[in-house]
Every structure is written in structure tokens, then in C-alpha cells.
Amino acid sequence: MAQLLAVVGGADLSTHAVLAVEALRKAARRRDQPIALELRGPGTSGNPLPESAIRDAEAVLLVGSGDLGEGRFGALRRAKVAIEDVLTDVNAVIDRALGGAAPIQDPAAAAGVTGATRAIRIVAITSCPTGIAHTFMAAEGIQGAAKALGHAVRVETQGSVGARDALTQAEIAEADLVLIAADTGVDRRRFAGKRVYAATTKAAIRDGRGLIATALLEASLQAAAEAEPRASGPTRPAAERKAGAYKHLMTGVSFMLPFVVAGGLLIALAFAFGGIDAMAPGHAGTLGYALGEIGAKGAFALIVPALAGYIAYSIADRPGIAPGMIGGMLAANLQAGFLGGIAAGFIAGYTVAFLNRHIRLHKNLEGLKPVLILPLLATLVTGLLMVYVVGVPVAAILAALTGWLKGMQGASALVLGLVLGGMMAVDMGGPINKAAYASAAALIASGVTAPMAAVMIGGMTPPLGLALATRLFANRFTEAEREAGGAAAVLGAAFITEGAIPFAAADPLRVIPSLVAGSAIAGAIALSLGVELKVPHGGLFVLPIPNAVTNVTGALIALVAGTVVTALLVGLLKKRAA
């Protein structure tokens, strides 16, 4: 078989060039086609084609832009294509290079479409635990990339408040590719029979074009809607499998948050209307008592079951919900709290997944598995483990943790505030930020509300500090960054830490340490002054709510101090803008 040469030039699209090289390598291997590949950067060649390969070749494929070294190839037959052509239909590109096909007319073939034009139809879902910043930043990343590549796209955003711009069945039916960019579990049953690719929100925010290109190459067919739960299905993309325990935990947290918010605010309103003893039995029948009952015995009672149920759902789909929620209710009854709920969720989810893989029934009975057999057996296993093995020791651990946190004073409060506040600014919405946030939000259910104050104030400080820096040290920022300072201030006031990301991305070595320092100081001051916060979101907008914040003055002092420290450090470390 004739030897094929391929030279890929990335120029300013280095990520796409690497993807194109890998796509050519894999496609050639599948076809048993000998191929020699060279990846070239701006003016350099890291893996030049050997002279022997050039001598034995019959054709050369020139991909991308820049200096591809065409002078080496003499009279060899040549085909020139764009990187996007390789990423959308690599087989057609190879056929063209070998002279076995007409010019590329079906670049959508990689999406499972035949007879299509270059533009394909994409439907996408984005989701993060809180459904605020990363959800919409990922949506914008996908929309911008699809528009630049000439594809049609519709994006549904999902968060703790539900779905916005929901995809219709007609749009899904017409789509060539389903793209999921989520840090939480997403129900994929409605995409049965479609090519689906799943990744994280970070992938869509950082490189939307690369994500779409990878999805076109690696998307797999979604099983039919009546198929077994996804926990055992072979069609889960590698990107989704790699998410692991973190994604499952964040799914549980995202479903838990509305219960925490509603319950916390209702309890605060109960105190506002009925005084500090509004929930005492003697006040039964009053408005304050009713609000307290709804918040404490309604919303708060469901926090741990919701957390456990949706961790299990993320692992094993719908059959995991019942065992997970029942395990979570047992955890709450055993005083094991959110730690027990997390344990119950993972036990239930992985038990369902294990049983689903190993129980095989006649096809006429297969429908009983998700509604009867799996929930029953998994609930039995989870319940017995919670009662006899997990519940008591976890309850003891939680009681010790709760006692320590409630008794924090002086140095211990300062250190915890430093750590939690600093964690909020390290990656501004990434895993470290979310770990601190999820822990503090879960502790609210156990009556520990001080860590949430350090987390929220520490999370508000980065964008507020940068907004202040753009005013105090305008010469350190470009005109576009100065204009973005106003938006960062609004985002910071609403506790959307991601408003600092554009500034950090432009100068990470100077900006991120400044953000971490300011947030750590804000968190330390908040806990040292005894600030407590009963709701897990809202930023400055929760301060006027009676009793939602303990020591409002201390909270404002901490926020102002952290903001000023961040702004001064940014101004000191950043260089003048060109």
C-alpha cells in the first residue's frame, strides 16, 4: 500500500493541530494505511519527516496553515485541507489525499450524517452545581465556537433552579451531535439513538472549538431510552467516566442547595416575625412558628436525603434515587448528618451499579430491574449497612466535628477562615473552590453556619478586589479590562467568584496570589469576628434579610478588608498595561 505523508501546521491553533495529528494516526491505523506524520509549530518542526519516508511516498497531505516545508516534496501529489476538515471527517481527507475520492463534500460524516453540508446541527447541555456562572460561561463557549466553525447550535442550561431554554424533541431529533458540558449528572435518556459526547464545563469554557472537534471524533451512540441504567452501559464517554466521585458529589450538592436555601431563609424569616424563640411550642399557630416548621421540619429534613439520593442518581441513574434517599433518611435519623448522607449516596449508587451489571434476566423480565429488583435489593443493602456498620461511627465523627466547629475561637477560627477563604480564590469555581463551598453548604444542615460565612465572603472578594483595582490602578489594565471591572463588581456582589476568571487568565502568576491572599484574610476576619451565614448563596443581597447573617457589621468589615488587600496586591504586582 502506498505510503502517505501528512504535515500538520497549527500556527495559533496548536491544540487543534495535535487533535488533527491523532485523528489522522488513528484513521490510518484503522485502514491499515502506512502514514508518516509531522507536526509543525510557528517556524519549527518537532518531529520532521525522515528522508526515507519522503522518498518512498506517493502523496503528501498538507493540513492547516503556516510554513509546512512544501519545498521538500518535489513532484509528489499534494492535497491541501484545513484542520477543521480533518477534525470533522478524517476518512474523507485521507481519501482525497490518496486520490481515491472527490473533494470533500461531507465533513459532517463524523457526526453520523450522510449527504450533509459542512454545517452540522448541535444540541448541547451545560450544568454546574449552582447553575450560575460556569453553566452560562460553558454555554457561551459552545455557542461562540459553533458559530466560528459554521455549525448551528442550541444550548440548554441546567442548574439547581432547573432548565432554561429547554431543548425540544424536534430539535433533538434533527441534531447531528449532542454535546454535554456538565459538572453534574445529566439525564441522557431523551438522546436515545443520537451521538453523544460528555465533558466538563471547564472544557467548554477554555476551548470550545477543541471540545466540538473532539466530540465529532469521539462521540458515541446513546443507548435506547428503555435500556439499562447508564452505570453499566458501554456508551459513557471517557470524559464522563473520568469525572468520578467529584462529579457524583457535585450532582448531589446541586440538588441539595435549593433545600438549604429555602430552609435557611424560612427559618430566618421565622425569627424576623416571631422573635428568637419563634419556634418554641408555646408559639404554635403564629406565623413565625409556621415559617419555622416549614423551614426546619420541611426543607431541612430533606437536605440529607436529597444529597444522598442524587449522588446515587449520578452514579446509577433513576434506580439509584430510592435507595440513596432512603439511606440518606436513615443517616439523618441516626444523627450521621451530611457525612452519613454522602456515605449512603455512594453505597446506594455503586450497589445499584454492581447489581445492574451482574443480574441477568430474560428480556421479558428486564423491565422489572429498574423499578423493582434494583431499588429493592440496593435499599436492603444500603439500609443494613447504614444501620449496622456506617451510621454510628459516622454520627460520632460528625458530632465531634460539629462540636469543634461550634466551639471555635481565636486561633482555630482564624486558621479555618484562612483556609476556606483562600480555597475559594485558588481556582475560582473549580474543584478546590467547589470542595470548600460544598462542605460549608452541607454543614448548614448540621447547624454549623460559620464556615459558610468564610466561604461566601472569601468568594466575593476576588471579583470585587479586581473591580476596585481597575479603578485605583487603571494603568495596570487594558481598556477592555477596565470596562470589565464594572461587571466584575456586580458579579462579586452576587457571590459569583467566576467574575475574576478573565483577569486571572490574562496574568495568572500575579493575579491569583493576590486573590488568594485577599480571600484568605477576608475569611479569617469573618470567622474571628463570629460572623455566621444561614444561607449558601446570595452575596450582599442576603444581608438585609433579618437573621440570615449573624454580625452583619463583621461581615462587611471582612469583605472590605479582603477587597482592599486584593486590590492593593494586584496593583503592586501587575505591570503596566502595554
Side-chain angles (χ1 to χ4, degrees):
M1 185 176 292
Q3 168 89 350
L4 176 63
L5 305 178
V7 182
V8 181
D12 59 342
L13 298 174
S14 56
T15 302
H16 302 81
V18 173
L19 289 170
V21 168
E22 290 304 310
L24 288 166
R25 193 191 314 279
K26 291 178 181 178
R29 186 183 302 123
R30 287 193 299 267
R31 299 161 61 119
D32 293 324
Q33 168 64 52
I35 190 170
L37 293 156
E38 176 179 317
L39 176 63
R40 294 175 70 89
T44 63
S45 175
N47 58 333
L49 295 170
E51 289 297 329
S52 57
I54 298 174
R55 200 166 44 245
D56 297 336
E58 294 187 8
V60 58
L61 176 63
L62 302 172
V63 182
S65 59
D67 178 16
L68 301 180
E70 290 188 55
R72 298 171 288 169
F73 304 124
L76 283 178
R77 186 171 66 252
R78 307 176 192 196
K80 294 185 177 182
V81 298
I83 288 177
E84 287 81 1
D85 293 332
V86 176
L87 296 177
T88 51
D89 192 353
V90 65
N91 288 312
V93 167
I94 293 177
D95 287 339
R96 179 180 178 183
L98 295 173
I104 300 171
Q105 295 177 343
D106 187 18
V113 186
T114 56
T117 61
R118 179 178 183 81
I120 64 170
R121 295 179 179 179
I122 301 172
V123 294
I125 291 178
T126 63
S127 175
C128 71
T130 54
I132 300 178
H134 274 64
T135 298
F136 299 104
M137 292 169 71
E140 291 174 1
I142 292 171
Q143 290 166 337
K147 182 178 180 180
L149 294 171
H151 303 318
V153 67
R154 267 276 287 117
V155 182
E156 173 184 314
T157 55
Q158 294 185 0
S160 57
V161 294
R164 286 182 54 183
D165 301 321
L167 300 172
T168 66
Q169 284 301 316
E171 289 170 330
I172 295 171
E174 294 173 356
D176 306 315
L177 174 69
V178 178
L179 182 57
I180 298 173
D183 301 323
T184 63
V186 172
D187 188 349
R188 300 199 323 231
R189 284 186 297 273
R190 55 180 163 154
F191 304 126
K194 311 300 293 186
R195 285 173 55 83
V196 177
Y197 183 79
T200 62
T201 56
K202 185 176 293 186
I205 294 169
R206 288 186 172 180
D207 186 9
R209 286 194 181 196
L211 177 60
I212 291 175
T214 305
L216 288 169
L217 291 171
E218 299 183 7
S220 57
L221 198 66
Q222 174 66 26
E226 65 273 11
E228 295 178 355
R230 66 172 180 261
S232 66
T235 59
R236 294 180 73 200
E240 188 177 10
R241 291 195 300 270
K242 291 177 183 177
Y246 173 77
K247 189 204 74 169
H248 304 319
L249 177 61
M250 287 299 104
T251 299
V253 170
S254 72
F255 281 96
M256 174 193 78
L257 283 179
F259 296 94
V260 181
V261 173
L265 288 175
L266 285 167
I267 292 171
L269 289 174
F271 293 144
F273 284 103
I276 196 65
D277 59 347
M279 297 169 62
H283 290 79
T286 65
L287 177 59
Y289 182 86
L291 291 172
E293 287 285 292
I294 297 169
K297 296 185 179 179
F300 268 29
L302 292 171
I303 289 173
V304 175
L307 173 66
Y310 283 97
I311 289 174
Y313 162 78
S314 179
I315 297 169
D317 217 315
R318 284 194 300 177
I321 293 179
M325 294 195 77
I326 293 169
M329 184 62 73
L330 286 170
N333 292 338
L334 292 167
Q335 305 301 312
F338 78 96
L339 292 179
I342 292 171
F346 282 104
I347 290 170
Y350 286 118
T351 298
V352 171
F354 175 83
L355 293 173
N356 187 46
R357 283 194 300 269
H358 291 87
I359 295 176
R360 291 289 179 263
L361 299 175
H362 187 275
K363 64 180 181 179
N364 293 332
L365 300 176
E366 195 70 20
L368 292 176
K369 282 176 65 176
V371 296
L372 173 61
I373 296 172
L374 295 178
L376 173 62
L377 294 179
T379 298
L380 180 64
V381 172
T382 304
L384 291 174
L385 286 174
M386 290 302 298
V387 171
Y388 290 109
V389 180
V390 178
V392 174
V394 171
I397 293 171
L398 182 67
L401 175 63
T402 302
W404 177 74
L405 289 171
K406 286 185 174 180
M408 283 188 312
Q409 292 182 12
S412 60
L414 186 145
V415 171
L416 182 63
L418 280 171
V419 172
L420 290 176
M423 289 175 70
M424 294 301 294
V426 169
D427 53 2
M428 291 156 286
I432 297 174
N433 171 288
K434 287 294 188 289
Y437 177 75
S439 300
L443 283 168
I444 292 177
S446 300
V448 181
T449 54
M452 194 69 239
V455 163
M456 186 178 293
I457 294 171
M460 295 164 63
T461 298
L464 289 175
L466 285 165
L468 180 60
T470 61
R471 300 298 183 266
L472 297 179
F473 308 100
N475 60 356
R476 304 292 199 275
F477 300 90
T478 65
E479 183 178 352
E481 287 175 330
R482 291 194 295 271
E483 292 177 357
V490 175
L491 293 173
F495 181 36
I496 299 176
T497 315
E498 290 87 344
I501 289 177
F503 299 89
D507 192 1
L509 295 180
R510 296 178 178 86
V511 171
I512 292 178
S514 305
L515 303 183
V516 172
S519 292
I521 288 173
I525 293 175
L527 292 197
S528 298
L529 295 178
V531 180
E532 297 184 21
L533 187 62
K534 296 180 177 63
V535 290
H537 223 293
L540 290 177
F541 303 102
V542 303
L543 296 183
I545 300 173
N547 298 303
V549 183
T550 300
N551 192 358
V552 175
T553 302
L556 291 174
I557 291 172
L559 183 61
V560 170
T563 298
V564 170
V565 168
T566 293
L568 293 177
L569 286 176
V570 168
L572 177 66
L573 296 178
K574 272 184 70 69
K575 296 180 179 179
R576 290 177 178 269

